[in-house]
Amino acid sequence: MAGVRSFARVIRGRSSAGPSPRALAPADPRDVLPGPLDPTLEAIRAELAPFGRRLWLRRFIRRASIAAAGVLAAELVAWTAARLAPIELTPALAAAIPVLGLLVLIGAAVAVRPTLGEAALAADAEGSLGDRVSSALALAVLVPSAAGPAPSTVEPGTDGLDEAAISERLVRRQRADALRTLRSAPRDLFRPRVARRPAIATLVAAVLLVPAIMLPNPQDVVIAENRQIREE
């Protein structure tokens, strides 16, 4: 069981080296604030949606490659052990390994689905957006008075405004700038890619697994003799 849990942690990409991106990501204002949101904020959320889907696909493909390497390595160990000792349960074990790997992968796919804040952080980082998008989400929560629709009449300048009103106006300006920057970001961010080490491990395990399964196994004779003895 400990090995299965370790394998699951590797696929999910968890690490104890520091806080996870999810812990550092700003919250989705829709989940935190009541009432309608500023149309500019809603536009940012809508623009982030396709980025989030591509980021999720990249994460899934990476973990699928790790899962494939783990499954093939486990299959190689099982079939190699079957050549060293008469293990009658090897076929059943070999059939269960891919099923277990698929279940772990499904769980990992659900666990690594990015939040809106994670998509914003990733877009800022890979799109060189200068933290504008993630800051817009964070400021909406920090300054909730600026998260809703703007007043219908806004006088230019800051004369006669108190500090709260000035902060609200600055937040809205930053949000508009974040939306313009996000719309100019490359549409091909978060291209799926396969990690090199899992790909090499998968290839090596697959090459070694073919003869381990296809070549005659001398332990089959021992297993047949043991079955015949039990039946007598």
Side-chain angles (χ1 to χ4, degrees):
M1 293 301 294
V4 172
R5 287 194 294 268
S6 299
F7 179 51
R9 285 196 296 269
V10 170
I11 293 181
R12 288 196 297 267
R14 292 185 177 179
S15 173
S16 59
S20 65
R22 180 160 299 186
L24 300 175
D28 184 352
R30 172 61 63 196
D31 297 336
V32 179
L33 302 174
L37 297 177
D38 181 14
T40 304
L41 191 57
E42 290 284 18
I44 290 176
R45 296 179 71 254
E47 290 287 335
L48 280 174
F51 287 103
R53 289 191 292 268
R54 288 195 292 272
L55 179 59
W56 191 15
L57 177 62
R58 175 200 281 184
R59 290 179 174 182
F60 174 79
I61 290 177
R62 176 176 175 81
R63 282 151 183 84
S65 66
I66 297 174
V71 167
L72 288 178
E75 291 279 2
L76 181 61
V77 170
W79 287 106
T80 301
R83 291 182 168 274
L84 301 177
I87 305 175
E88 296 187 27
L89 294 178
T90 297
L93 178 61
I97 289 174
V99 176
L100 179 60
L102 180 60
L103 293 176
V104 172
L105 179 59
I106 292 174
V110 174
V112 300
R113 182 175 184 177
T115 63
L116 188 74
E118 288 180 281
L121 284 176
D124 280 339
E126 297 198 24
S128 301
L129 306 184
D131 295 334
R132 289 180 175 88
V133 182
S134 56
S135 296
L137 297 181
L139 288 172
V141 177
L142 291 175
V143 188
S145 60
S152 56
T153 57
V154 179
E155 297 181 0
T158 59
D159 295 339
L161 296 179
D162 57 17
E163 184 177 351
I166 295 175
S167 297
E168 180 177 334
R169 181 170 295 186
L170 292 176
V171 168
R172 293 186 186 278
R173 288 179 180 177
Q174 189 278 338
R175 183 180 302 152
D177 177 63
L179 178 59
R180 288 192 298 269
T181 305
L182 180 59
R183 284 175 172 170
S184 65
R187 299 288 99 180
D188 60 349
L189 289 180
F190 315 133
R191 289 181 178 178
R193 54 174 179 257
V194 178
R196 183 177 181 180
R197 288 183 179 179
I200 295 176
T202 300
L203 179 61
V204 172
V207 170
L208 296 177
L209 185 60
V210 172
I213 296 176
M214 302 302 296
L215 293 179
N217 186 358
Q219 299 297 336
D220 290 341
V221 177
V222 179
I223 292 175
E225 292 176 352
N226 292 339
R227 287 177 179 174
Q228 185 176 3
I229 294 174
R230 288 197 301 268
E231 292 174 357
E232 291 179 352

